[in-house]
């Protein structure tokens, strides 16, 4: 057995709150491994395997099936950009950049942590040959199809499934990541099967047709995703010869056509594998409850067989332009939305991760406070949201360039004044260019970054190993854990250098909208998604005006200092013995107006808290009309509070305000030091709130669009139908849309005082808050809000219908998007909801189990 070339137990910097041990190990074949001993995995005293002990190395039996994760069959992911995160109905991620990794569904107490491992290989879809697009993704699939040691195609998945585990993988532009989690005592057996991916995969010819269909199925899941369509349009219109100018997902057409043209796909896969899957290209992370020496012995035993190869170095590539300048691309949207995307290519900044100039600029360009770009656009009625920065995906952070994207959600008026919106963007950019970079802003980001690192919340093991394996590709060994948090070395000249790339000759403009001229003779079709788009020239006079703005609007200025950054991190439970912990919250305030529960944390020992409040209002949902007016009020109030909530959000103190049934739900969660101050500001603004006509029109338009976009996806549609069936009070979104069209500003202005005239608050404070602090929070409500106490009879609780035993219910509803091809099945403990999108219909069948 080969020995490690080097090992280091002290090099990697970890958080002061992290009780895990780390060892950096490099094998003779070039593979670099980070081994993590988590003492909590065997904290209950369970027996940890010995270094030379094989636990259940054969098929085993099914005694562990009770802890099985239901997600294990979905073992592969498509490219990270392919994840469909653009859900208008809930939280939305316009760039679709972050893959949704599987989470544990939960288990019976006590919770026992799992072991996990990940391997990142420094090759991704940029390595696809033009004649076989999607090959790297297809290779990722084929590695799951058995190895010389474990030839059964289902051996790996079966082993994980039997032992409470799951697996997954995703293909990025410049790397591919494979990962799994498993019940703690079966780590060695899982690693044995996993390691063979990188030693002796069979790449079975007889499995290729099936896996082509699996790749095609993944592609079909994102066909109706606006963010994925936009990404592929940007790839399709990228400069010829650039690695981005390809179809990275792959589908049946791209892979079958390659075979049909005489290409031996299996030989191409094996060539790609042999050239790139070697130790020098691989980063391995293992987390288990075993001692580091045991994990090291297993790593050497199982991964020394990986072929040796030169060490990977992701260095900046050529400065080949990504896109043609001076162009405007109009893409037809699936959802009802107007989104403007401005993209600038920056030099590769991998080596500047400690200085993070792109994050400094993202903080300013994406700011939402007074004086910011978004504040200005909202005042004009042109936009409702804005985000800016370099995404986390491989396309946005490649060795060819960093792509800085600004995404602006436009109103109808904003779409009409599109070029004026871009003019405002360049006026703000010019303000930044004329202002010296501010060290105090960098210091704020530095303080927040260190605070997050110091009190980093523990991630699920599967997520953690993936993040660290990715980090090993881009950060120094010392900063594998801390690299994403640290801001060190203020360098204003670097900020100026990066800012110099923000000019119109280096800008791409995309508009995603349903307001699309379908009769235009200029319409083109993107070949893989079939999306319709138009490419137009931007008038040179406009480009010149953006290059040298004549003036800067007087409303623009740099943000003020953030008052919500915490300074007190002391723990309130310091004098409380752990044995005195009561699992249940205590009611510490029980009055007609407010009832408050409290539970101090003595488990996690971090300076964070959660404060949740259910605010019962008068007749908030007593009628369809009132329900819509309550939605309008909540959205207008959030709009009014946006500057305050954004500043707190930057300081990692977050807020959620939503309508739940007939009540308002207010949540504050994050660092506790300024939580009471933020609550005071929110309640004061709520008490003095008076709707404004100009914002009413914009928010009404936004709400109308949100109603229209509800149920665009089968998954959310099936959930909607289930709740519609179960809830006693449920107002149909199509009916709400009709009512919304009839409402006026006067209707809302008359409704709000009545809505808030009678209130009742019930809340829970949990975390790093003493009982006295929680009582003071209740006083903030009593001293700020002037509403009378809402009677018990008028408080609307959530009620569900009782389904008669043996009853059968069938509903057939047409899908909202006629082009949607995906199906969903929901299973509840009392009945089954089956959602089928075949033949453009949605079938809901409910029957007793």
């Amino acid at each position: 057995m080969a020995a490690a070339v080097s090992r280091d137990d002290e090099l990697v910097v970890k958080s002061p709150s992290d009780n895990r041990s780390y060892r950096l190990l490099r094998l003779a074949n070039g593979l670099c491994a980070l081994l993590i001993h988590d003492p909590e995995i065997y904290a209950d005293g369970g027996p940890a395997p010995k270094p030379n002990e094989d636990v259940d190395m054969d098929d085993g039996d099914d005694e562990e099936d009770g802890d099985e994760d239901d997600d294990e069959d979905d073992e592969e992911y498509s490219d990270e950009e392919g994840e469909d995160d653009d859900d208008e109905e809930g939280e939305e991620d316009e760039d679709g950049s972050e893959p949704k990794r599987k989470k544990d569904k939960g288990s019976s107490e006590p919770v026992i942590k799992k072991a996990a491992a990940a391997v990142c290989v420094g090759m991704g879809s940029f390595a696809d040959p033009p004649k076989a697009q999607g090959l790297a993704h297809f290779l990722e699939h084929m590695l799951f199809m058995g190895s010389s040691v474990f030839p059964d195609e289902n051996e790996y998945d079966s082993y994980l499934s039997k032992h409470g585990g799951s697996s997954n993988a995703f293909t990025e532009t410049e790397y591919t990541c494979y990962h799994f989690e498993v019940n703690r005592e079966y780590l060695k057996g899982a690693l044995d099967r996993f390691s063979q991916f990188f030693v002796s995969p069979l790449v079975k010819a007889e499995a290729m047709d099936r896996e082509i269909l699996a790749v095609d199925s993944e592609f079909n899941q994102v066909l109706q995703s606006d963010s994925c369509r936009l990404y592929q349009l940007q790839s399709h219109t990228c400069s010829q010869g650039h690695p981005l100018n390809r179809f990275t997902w792959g589908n049946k057409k791209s892979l079958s056509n390659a075979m049909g043209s005489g290409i031996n796909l299996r030989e191409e896969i094996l060539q790609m594998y042999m050239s790139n899957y070697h130790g020098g290209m691989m980063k391995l992370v293992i987390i288990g409850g075993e001692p580091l020496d045991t994990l090291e012995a297993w790593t050497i035993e199982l991964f020394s067989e990986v072929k040796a190869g030169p060490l990977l170095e992701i260095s900046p590539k050529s400065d080949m332009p990504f896109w043609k300048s001076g162009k405007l691309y109009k893409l037809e949207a699936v959802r009802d939305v107007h989104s403007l995307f401005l993209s600038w290519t920056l030099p590769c900044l991998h080596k500047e991760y400690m200085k993070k100039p792109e994050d400094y600029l993202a903080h300013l360009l994406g700011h939402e406070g007074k004086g910011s770009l978004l504040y200005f656009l909202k005042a004009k009625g042109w936009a409702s949201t804005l985000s800016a920065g370099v995404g986390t995906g491989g396309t946005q952070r490649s060795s060819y360039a960093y792509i800085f994207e600004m995404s602006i959600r436009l109103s109808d008026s904003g779409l009409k004044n599109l070029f004026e919106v871009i003019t405002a963007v360049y006026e703000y950019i010019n303000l930044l260019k004329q202002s010296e970079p501010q060290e105090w802003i960098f210091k704020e980001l530095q303080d927040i970054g260190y605070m997050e690192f110091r009190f980093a919340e523990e991630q699920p093991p599967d997520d953690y190993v993936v993040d660290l394996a990715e980090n090993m590709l881009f950060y120094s060994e010392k900063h594998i854990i801390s690299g994403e948090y640290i801001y060190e070395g203020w360098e204003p000249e670097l900020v100026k250098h990066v800012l110099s790339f923000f000019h119109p000759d280096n800008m791409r403009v995309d508009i995603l909208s349903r307001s699309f001229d379908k009769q235009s003779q200029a319409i083109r079709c993107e070949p893989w998604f079939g999306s319709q788009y138009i490419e137009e020239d931007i008038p040179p006079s406009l480009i010149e005006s953006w290059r040298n703005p004549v003036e800067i609007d007087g409303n623009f200025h740099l943000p003020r200092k953030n008052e919500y950054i915490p300074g007190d991190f002391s723990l309130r439970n310091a004098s409380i013995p752990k044995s005195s912990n009561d699992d249940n919250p205590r009611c510490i305030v029980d009055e007609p107006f407010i009832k408050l529960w409290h539970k101090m944390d003595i488990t996690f020992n971090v300076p964070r808290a959660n404060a949740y409040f259910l605010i019962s209002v008068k007749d908030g949902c007593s009628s369809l009309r009132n329900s819509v007016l309550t939605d309008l009020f909540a959205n207008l109030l959030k709009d009014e509070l946006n500057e305050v909530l954004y500043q707190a959000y930057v300081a990692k103190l977050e807020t959620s305000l939503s309508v739940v049934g007939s009540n308002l739900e207010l949540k504050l969660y994050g660092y506790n030091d300024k939580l009471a101050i933020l609550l005071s500001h929110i309640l004061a603004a709520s008490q003095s709130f008076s709707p404004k006509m100009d914002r009413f029109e914009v928010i009404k338009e936004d709400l109308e669009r949100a109603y229209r976009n509800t149920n665009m996806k089968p998954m959310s549609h099936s959930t909607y139908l289930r709740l519609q069936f179960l809830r006693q009070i449920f107002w149909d979104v199509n009916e709400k849309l009709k009512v919304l069209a009839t409402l006026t500003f006067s209707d809302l202005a008359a409704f709000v005082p009545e809505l808030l005239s009678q209130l009742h608050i019930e809340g829970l404070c949990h975390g790093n808050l003493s009982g006295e602090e929680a009582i003071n929070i209740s006083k903030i409500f009593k001293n700020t809000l002037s509403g009378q106490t809402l009677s018990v009879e008028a408080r609307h609780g959530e009620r569900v219908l009782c389904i008669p035993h043996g009853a059968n219910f069938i509903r057939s509803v047409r899908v909202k998007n006629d082009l949607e091809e995906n199906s969903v099945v929901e299973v509840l403990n009392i009945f089954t909801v089956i959602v089928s999108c075949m033949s453009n219909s949605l079938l809901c069948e409910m029957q007793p189990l």
Side-chain angles (χ1 to χ4, degrees):
M1 182 187 301
V5 172
S6 65
R7 68 176 60 81
D8 195 314
D9 291 3
E10 304 297 332
L11 178 61
V12 178
V13 176
K14 67 175 186 176
S15 168
S17 60
D18 188 350
N19 66 347
R20 292 166 291 204
S21 303
Y22 296 82
R23 174 174 294 174
L24 198 64
L25 191 72
R26 189 175 292 282
L27 304 187
N29 58 11
L31 183 145
C32 185
L34 181 65
L35 311 179
I36 308 170
H37 164 66
D38 186 341
E40 295 181 4
I41 289 181
Y42 284 102
D44 63 343
K50 303 294 188 297
N52 60 351
E53 181 182 2
D54 290 350
V55 177
D56 199 12
M57 293 297 282
D58 47 24
D59 287 344
D61 44 58
D62 295 334
E63 67 240 21
E64 294 295 328
D65 285 357
D67 196 27
E68 184 174 330
D69 191 323
D70 293 328
D71 289 307
E72 70 273 2
D73 339 75
D74 190 18
E75 73 271 8
E76 291 106 1
Y77 277 120
S78 61
D79 285 340
E80 187 167 329
E81 288 81 5
E83 294 306 314
D84 186 10
D85 292 337
D86 58 338
D87 189 353
E88 178 83 8
E89 298 149 34
E91 62 276 4
E92 177 169 358
D93 184 358
E94 275 290 355
D95 62 9
S97 62
E98 183 66 19
K100 298 174 183 175
R101 301 185 183 122
K102 304 300 180 189
K103 301 293 192 296
D104 285 342
K105 296 289 187 290
S107 59
S108 59
E109 293 185 343
V111 175
I112 298 176
K113 295 168 75 171
K114 295 184 180 183
V119 167
C120 269
V121 182
M123 183 225 68
S125 58
F126 276 178
D128 283 350
K131 58 188 177 182
Q133 298 189 54
L135 189 70
H137 181 207
F138 188 43
L139 167 59
E140 169 217 305
H141 274 246
M142 290 304 298
L143 293 194
F144 285 80
M145 297 293 105
S147 62
S148 297
V149 179
F150 301 101
D152 186 345
E153 290 180 14
N154 297 315
E155 170 61 28
Y156 174 65
D157 289 330
S158 176
Y159 184 88
L160 293 174
S161 174
K162 287 177 181 177
H163 304 306
S166 62
S167 68
N168 229 312
F170 57 92
T171 303
E172 261 292 0
T173 55
E174 294 185 300
Y175 62 91
T176 306
C177 189
Y178 304 83
H179 53 105
F180 73 83
E181 66 178 3
V182 72
N183 285 347
R184 57 188 184 177
E185 60 268 41
Y186 297 97
L187 175 59
K188 174 71 180 300
L191 284 171
D192 191 26
R193 290 154 176 79
F194 184 57
S195 64
Q196 292 304 308
F197 280 39
F198 315 106
V199 176
S200 62
L202 294 177
V203 190
K204 296 179 180 179
E206 61 269 26
M208 292 181 67
D209 287 343
R210 283 198 312 277
E211 286 312 300
I212 286 176
L213 293 178
V215 170
D216 193 59
S217 175
E218 290 181 2
F219 173 67
N220 287 332
Q221 290 177 32
V222 300
L223 264 175
Q224 300 304 310
S225 162
D226 281 329
S227 61
C228 295
R229 286 170 169 244
L230 176 62
Y231 171 76
Q232 184 54 38
L233 175 62
Q234 292 175 338
S235 299
H236 175 65
T237 53
C238 187
S239 302
Q240 291 294 317
H242 197 286
L244 184 62
N245 180 231
R246 63 193 67 199
F247 175 53
T248 57
W249 277 276
N251 65 1
K252 183 178 179 181
K253 179 181 177 183
S254 71
L255 296 170
S256 297
N257 284 359
M259 292 192 292
S261 63
I263 294 171
N264 188 320
L265 212 54
R266 185 170 186 273
E267 287 186 4
E268 290 286 339
I269 287 176
L270 290 173
Q271 176 60 40
M272 177 179 277
Y273 181 88
M274 295 302 293
S275 300
N276 298 282
Y277 277 61
H278 58 74
M281 295 278 277
M282 295 183 187
K283 309 296 183 184
L284 166 68
V285 180
I286 302 173
I287 184 167
E290 295 76 12
L292 290 174
D293 288 344
T294 301
L295 296 177
E296 177 178 334
W298 290 352
T299 301
I300 293 172
E301 175 190 349
L302 300 174
F303 289 89
S304 290
E305 296 179 54
V306 173
K307 184 179 70 172
L311 296 181
L312 169 69
E313 183 178 351
I314 301 181
S315 55
K317 305 291 194 304
S318 66
D319 57 355
M320 179 190 299
F322 271 56
W323 300 294
K324 293 177 285 187
S325 62
K327 299 291 184 180
L328 168 63
Y329 295 92
K330 297 179 177 178
L331 177 64
E332 184 180 22
V334 174
R335 295 171 297 122
D336 185 6
V337 65
H338 308 314
S339 290
L340 167 65
F341 298 89
L342 305 178
S343 304
W344 297 268
T345 53
L346 312 178
C348 174
L349 296 169
H350 286 341
K351 296 186 183 300
E352 308 298 344
Y353 69 87
M354 295 176 68
K355 300 180 177 67
K356 296 181 174 60
E358 75 281 10
D359 288 355
Y360 174 92
L361 294 174
H363 175 68
L364 295 175
L365 288 167
H367 210 278
E368 300 183 14
K370 193 169 290 186
S372 70
L373 176 59
L374 177 61
Y375 196 91
F376 174 85
L377 295 175
K378 287 175 68 174
K380 290 284 189 180
W382 290 344
S384 56
T385 66
L386 182 152
S387 62
V390 179
T392 58
T395 301
Q396 292 81 16
R397 292 177 181 265
S398 75
S399 58
Y400 289 86
Y402 275 29
I403 298 177
F404 190 106
E405 183 177 85
M406 180 180 292
S407 168
I408 306 175
R409 181 68 55 81
L410 300 175
S411 62
D412 290 342
S413 176
L415 185 64
K416 292 175 184 175
N417 293 279
L418 172 65
F419 291 137
E420 285 78 1
V421 171
I422 301 177
T423 296
V425 171
Y426 275 102
E427 286 185 20
Y428 193 86
I429 288 173
N430 208 32
L431 169 72
L432 298 183
K433 288 180 176 179
Q434 291 181 12
S435 308
E436 282 295 313
Q438 301 293 303
E439 188 173 6
W440 69 266
I441 295 176
F442 181 84
K443 182 68 167 54
E444 279 195 348
L445 297 175
Q446 185 181 53
D447 290 345
I448 293 169
Y450 178 71
M451 174 182 74
E452 283 290 272
F453 176 62
R454 178 183 173 188
F455 301 108
E457 293 188 76
E458 187 172 324
Q459 296 175 260
D462 189 30
D463 288 353
Y464 193 50
V465 293
V466 169
D467 286 348
L468 294 183
E470 290 176 308
N471 289 353
M472 291 174 76
L473 294 170
F474 303 109
Y475 301 147
S476 70
E477 293 176 340
K478 178 181 179 181
H479 296 133
I480 290 170
I481 302 173
S482 61
E484 64 185 279
Y485 299 101
I486 55 177
Y487 288 79
E488 292 182 11
W490 168 238
E491 202 170 307
E493 292 305 315
L494 179 61
V495 173
K496 291 180 183 179
H497 172 66
V498 174
L499 187 56
S500 70
F501 289 88
F502 287 78
H503 58 80
D505 301 308
N506 183 41
M507 174 184 64
R508 178 188 172 99
V509 183
D510 292 281
I511 282 287
L512 181 69
S513 175
R514 273 192 177 177
S515 296
F516 187 85
D517 184 5
K518 295 185 179 181
Q519 308 304 316
S520 171
Q521 298 298 309
I523 287 180
R524 305 183 190 183
C525 185
E526 191 283 316
W528 298 106
F529 279 77
S531 309
Q532 292 189 322
Y533 73 97
I534 297 172
E535 178 183 311
E536 296 179 354
D537 291 322
I538 299 173
S541 58
L542 271 175
I543 293 177
E544 179 59 31
S545 70
W546 296 336
R547 192 181 291 120
N548 298 295
V550 176
E551 60 181 0
I552 300 173
D553 192 282
N555 290 299
F556 288 135
H557 59 78
L558 295 179
R560 59 184 174 83
K561 293 189 176 182
N562 194 329
E563 65 179 299
Y564 297 106
I565 296 176
D568 178 9
F569 302 108
S570 61
L571 297 181
R572 308 299 192 260
N573 63 15
S575 60
I576 301 176
K578 192 167 186 178
S579 58
S580 68
N581 187 32
D582 183 355
D583 286 339
N584 299 316
R586 292 187 307 110
C587 182
I588 58 173
V589 177
D590 192 357
E591 301 174 0
F593 185 72
I594 184 169
K595 186 173 187 177
L596 186 65
W597 301 78
H598 171 256
K599 184 180 188 302
M600 185 183 294
D601 167 59
I602 61 172
T603 302
F604 300 101
N605 296 311
V606 290
R608 295 189 180 94
N610 307 296
Y612 294 172
F613 305 99
L614 193 67
I615 305 173
S616 297
V617 292
K618 183 182 178 184
D619 294 331
C621 206
S622 59
S623 67
L624 176 62
R625 183 176 185 273
N626 281 13
S627 174
V628 178
L629 284 167
T630 302
D631 286 346
L632 270 172
F633 162 72
N635 288 355
L636 275 161
L637 180 58
K638 285 189 287 187
D639 182 68
E640 178 83 9
L641 288 165
N642 188 65
E643 181 181 9
V644 169
L645 301 187
Y646 179 78
Q647 286 280 62
Y649 166 80
V650 170
K652 308 303 177 182
L653 178 56
E654 299 187 47
T655 307
S656 167
L657 176 63
S658 56
V659 179
V660 178
S662 57
N663 307 303
L664 298 177
E665 185 179 74
L666 175 63
K667 299 181 180 180
L668 292 84
Y669 46 99
Y671 291 93
N672 60 276
D673 184 28
K674 304 296 177 69
L675 189 148
I677 295 173
L678 175 60
L679 179 63
S680 295
H681 292 165
I682 291 172
L683 296 183
S686 304
Q687 177 63 30
S688 62
F689 174 75
S690 178
K692 300 178 178 64
M693 172 69 83
D694 57 341
R695 297 310 299 161
F696 170 81
E697 296 298 337
V698 173
I699 298 303
K700 181 182 176 183
E701 181 186 317
D702 278 351
L703 185 58
E704 181 181 352
R705 192 164 283 123
Y707 283 165
R708 284 204 190 102
N709 287 326
T710 299
N711 298 334
M712 287 295 285
K713 296 182 181 179
M715 178 67 79
S716 54
H717 201 165
S718 67
T719 302
Y720 174 90
L721 290 169
R722 168 170 52 83
L723 294 176
Q724 186 180 49
F725 175 81
L726 284 174
R727 284 182 177 171
Q728 187 179 54
I729 298 177
F730 190 96
W731 303 114
D732 182 74
V733 70
N734 295 319
E735 296 301 316
K736 291 172 82 170
L737 186 59
K738 292 177 185 176
V739 169
L740 178 62
T742 68
L743 296 177
T744 65
F745 175 76
S746 299
D747 293 331
L748 182 69
F751 175 75
V752 171
E754 186 67 17
L755 179 76
L756 301 179
S757 63
Q758 296 180 28
L759 305 169
H760 178 265
I761 294 94
E762 184 161 11
L764 166 67
C765 291
H766 167 262
N768 194 42
L769 290 170
S770 66
E772 182 181 355
E773 287 172 315
I775 291 172
N776 287 336
I777 283 175
S778 72
K779 293 177 180 177
I780 295 173
F781 277 93
K782 292 186 289 184
N783 295 336
T784 307
L785 301 180
S786 60
Q788 300 299 306
T789 300
L790 185 67
S791 66
V792 175
E793 296 77 17
R795 300 170 198 168
H796 300 289
E798 286 294 319
R799 292 180 173 85
V800 297
L801 301 176
C802 181
I803 301 173
H805 181 70
N808 291 282
F809 304 93
I810 298 176
R811 293 186 65 195
S812 182
V813 182
R814 187 176 179 82
V815 290
K816 200 160 185 178
N817 179 6
D818 289 340
L819 299 177
E820 182 60 72
E821 299 178 357
N822 294 297
S823 304
V824 173
V825 174
E826 282 195 24
V827 180
L828 301 181
N829 60 346
I830 53 172
F831 62 88
T832 304
V833 179
I834 301 175
V835 182
S836 171
C837 298
M838 298 176 64
S839 303
N840 294 328
S841 65
L842 192 70
L843 176 65
C844 254
E845 181 177 345
M846 301 170 209
Q847 56 191 24
L849 294 179

